[in-house]
Amino acid sequence: SEPSATTAQKIAKSPSTVGLINRAIQRHDFLQGLDPEQAARIIECMTMSERPRGETIISEGDAGNAMFILVEGELQVSKNGMPVRRLERGTLFGELAILYDCTRTATVQAITDVRLLCLSRSTFRTIRTIESQKRRELM
Ligand code: CMP
């Protein structure tokens, strides 16, 4: 049920959505190390999606093709069928499979209707590659 990889398209965002993404990135141990241009591209390219209560957003063990930020609603994270944590608005999740090329480490299910911001693996990869290439060319 994850969005398929698409070419990076810029989507206009409200100031409050930009703030939500920025805060989610800054709170994340690894992503906070991205440079400002990369963060700006991520903000531009994230797409909004709505999922109904009960839907499984991520299944443990699957190959991951997107990461997400929870904009509205509540999510339940489980491992081996056991609940481990609830996620609140503003939380970034589904990043581990993308950053570390592993399978999904947990299941994430919508316990209310939710709104999510999504960034595909391929778009994230492109942003990382293009921006680091630009930096090398400047050196
Ligand atoms: P990923 O492994 O890609 O997909 C499942 C996501 O659930 C994972 O990335 C994390 O974002 C999140 N996750 C995994 N384990 C936990 C945990 N113990 N507490 C909160 N979130 C988790």
Side-chain angles (χ1 to χ4, degrees):
S1 64
E2 295 179 359
S4 61
T6 54
T7 51
Q9 201 191 342
K10 297 178 186 178
I11 313 280
K13 304 287 186 320
S14 70
S16 72
T17 301
V18 171
L20 186 86
I21 301 172
N22 260 322
R23 286 192 299 278
I25 290 173
Q26 291 316 315
R27 270 202 305 269
H28 192 276
D29 288 341
F30 180 85
L31 294 171
Q32 67 181 202
L34 294 174
D35 56 55
E37 291 76 19
Q38 289 173 318
R41 292 287 292 142
I42 288 174
I43 289 168
E44 281 174 352
C45 294
M46 290 195 96
T47 57
M48 195 71 82
S49 123
E50 298 190 5
R51 309 293 180 87
R53 173 180 164 208
E55 186 164 312
T56 299
I57 313 295
I58 289 176
S59 297
E60 187 173 357
D62 278 5
N65 58 20
M67 61 185 194
F68 306 89
I69 296 171
L70 176 59
V71 178
E72 212 70 72
E74 241 187 310
L75 296 170
Q76 178 70 56
V77 179
S78 335
K79 283 189 154 206
N80 305 312
M82 302 292 288
V84 290
R85 182 163 309 171
R86 290 209 173 176
L87 304 183
E88 294 179 347
R89 174 183 158 76
T91 308
L92 189 150
F93 67 98
E95 81 288 21
L96 297 179
I98 307 305
L99 291 173
Y100 305 110
D101 258 319
C102 57
T103 55
R104 294 300 197 185
T105 62
T107 292
V108 181
Q109 196 174 23
I111 52 180
T112 65
D113 291 350
V114 294
R115 283 207 305 148
L116 304 173
L117 283 157
C118 312
L119 186 73
S120 72
R121 169 195 287 271
S122 65
T123 301
F124 181 69
R125 287 286 156 96
T126 304
I127 290 170
R128 280 219 297 203
T129 311
I130 290 174
E131 293 300 333
S132 31
Q133 249 162 20
K134 278 194 207 154
R135 230 171 318 146
R136 273 198 302 277
E137 282 161 13
L138 289 171
M139 291 197 308

